[in-house]
Amino acid sequence: MEQIIFNGEFFSVKDTLECGQVFRFIPYEKGFLVFSLDKCAYCYQNGDFAVIECDDGDKDYFFNYFDLSRDYSKIVSSAQSEGVLILTNASRFGKGIRILNQNPIEALISFVISQNNNIPRIKGIIERLSQGIGEKKEFNGFSYYSFPTISALKNAPLEFYKSIGLGYRAQYVKGLAQELDGGFNQSELINLPTESLRKRLIQIKGIGEKVADCALLFGFHRSDVFPVDTWIEKVYREDFKGNIKDRKRQAEYFVSRFKENSGYYQQYLFHYKRIVEKNPEKAQKGDKI
């Protein structure tokens, strides 16, 4: 077993996992078990530090997965220098959030599953997908299933996708699996400019602007995107006093304003707005709950 111990000021395991960017994790003991591809790590806070425990040989993988080489203090400082009250509060409140370096394919499939869906159902579907055609693995005595390979995804019949609760999304995931097995060259995509990559993703049936932007940010770590959902639209209307109705144009507004930091700011604002709605008296000044 290997261990990573990291300063917790700019790494909150809970906030990073629960801010909507990833679905394959479960509460475990004093923290969480996190699953990525065929790997697992036990992650928790211990005093002023975040701790990641993983199998021998996986340390570098999870160091990269949690983006631990990036200086998030600079990103938070930049957010607070923008002079936008909600962004100042949100970045202070959510300064422990890190944008994960998820596998692009796993993230893309996960966000196709996520459309018009709620988080408990998304997590359940992905778990059933992994149990159905993934490989059984073990971490420190805990059994789990790896995310399916492209080959397993392609070979699974449409009925399997329907049986795990995908509904109309079943044909999208099945089609995406076939696309991934065909001309979808992951190594080439990684080198495309963000807008070219977005256009390529949107060509795939079942992938619209929102899913593409989520895949870009959370799977390809393109920080010059700003996914817009219900919460971000509320931020746009209520806090930025915007009057554009089209979400694509709202996203363009944020990217034109915040450039390469857009994705990081989006996560701060998304996380903060959700908390403010539920606990306004605790979160209004960016205080930690």
Side-chain angles (χ1 to χ4, degrees):
M1 190 70 65
E2 294 187 294
Q3 192 176 77
I4 301 169
I5 300 175
F6 197 84
N7 189 313
E9 182 179 4
F10 293 98
F11 182 19
S12 165
V13 172
K14 186 177 189 295
D15 287 353
T16 296
L17 296 176
E18 294 186 344
C19 64
Q21 63 176 314
V22 65
F23 307 104
R24 291 187 68 213
F25 65 92
I26 60 171
Y28 182 76
E29 295 183 353
K30 57 185 177 181
F32 301 88
L33 287 178
V34 180
F35 311 102
S36 177
L37 292 180
D38 61 346
K39 305 181 188 304
C40 178
Y42 173 40
C43 309
Y44 57 94
Q45 304 295 142
N46 185 14
D48 294 333
F49 296 91
V51 181
I52 302 166
E53 297 179 1
C54 57
D55 283 333
D56 293 342
D58 289 347
K59 185 174 181 178
D60 288 346
Y61 181 89
F62 282 105
F63 189 91
N64 176 68
Y65 179 83
F66 285 102
D67 206 31
L68 298 183
S69 64
R70 198 178 309 273
D71 185 354
Y72 277 71
S73 68
K74 292 182 179 179
I75 298 170
V76 172
S77 294
S78 294
Q80 295 182 3
S81 71
E82 293 285 349
V84 180
L85 179 60
I86 188 173
L87 182 56
T88 297
N89 290 340
S91 59
R92 183 186 303 127
F93 179 73
K95 66 180 180 179
I97 295 173
R98 307 184 78 85
I99 302 294
L100 301 173
N101 287 306
Q102 299 181 67
N103 173 266
I105 302 306
E106 182 173 340
L108 181 58
I109 291 171
S110 296
F111 281 100
V112 169
I113 292 171
S114 77
Q115 56 190 310
N116 298 316
N117 222 339
N118 61 58
I119 289 178
R121 287 200 73 246
I122 297 164
K123 295 178 74 170
I125 290 170
I126 295 173
E127 178 61 20
R128 291 190 290 276
L129 176 69
S130 299
Q131 288 181 2
I133 56 175
E135 180 183 352
K136 191 172 184 178
K137 309 283 287 186
E138 187 172 292
F139 173 77
N140 200 27
F142 181 89
S143 295
Y144 68 99
Y145 291 83
S146 65
F147 194 81
T149 63
I150 291 175
S151 176
L153 289 163
K154 181 198 72 169
N155 292 327
L158 181 62
E159 286 306 314
F160 164 73
Y161 292 112
K162 291 180 179 179
S163 74
I164 62 174
L166 276 167
Y168 72 88
R169 306 170 198 83
Q171 60 180 321
Y172 296 158
V173 176
K174 175 65 175 176
L176 175 56
Q178 294 171 331
E179 180 89 15
L180 293 172
D181 192 59
F184 195 93
N185 190 313
Q186 183 177 328
S187 60
E188 290 181 6
L189 293 177
I190 289 172
N191 296 318
L192 287 176
T194 298
E195 191 53 40
S196 298
L197 180 52
R198 178 186 283 108
K199 289 178 181 178
R200 177 66 183 91
L201 293 177
I202 291 174
Q203 290 174 0
I204 301 171
K205 187 176 181 179
I207 297 180
E209 294 285 344
K210 166 72 185 315
V211 170
D213 278 354
C214 286
L216 287 167
L217 178 56
F218 305 128
F220 293 90
H221 210 111
R222 300 302 177 89
S223 60
D224 55 338
V225 299
F226 208 103
V228 176
D229 72 336
T230 300
W231 294 108
I232 291 298
E233 186 165 12
K234 284 173 69 70
V235 169
Y236 173 75
R237 296 191 186 285
E238 296 174 4
D239 302 286
F240 286 80
K241 308 305 179 185
N243 53 22
I244 298 171
K245 294 183 178 180
D246 180 68
R247 287 186 176 181
K248 179 181 178 181
R249 291 183 59 208
Q250 291 173 12
E252 290 171 349
Y253 162 80
F254 283 117
V255 172
S256 68
R257 182 162 183 172
F258 297 129
K259 308 295 191 295
E260 70 278 359
N261 282 329
S262 294
Y264 303 107
Y265 294 177
Q266 191 270 358
Q267 279 293 271
Y268 297 146
L269 291 166
F270 171 79
H271 180 66
Y272 182 69
K273 193 67 171 178
R274 287 198 305 172
I275 300 299
V276 167
E277 290 288 320
K278 297 175 182 177
N279 305 276
E281 74 288 349
K282 294 182 179 179
Q284 62 183 348
K285 295 182 180 179
D287 297 330
K288 196 67 179 173
I289 293 177

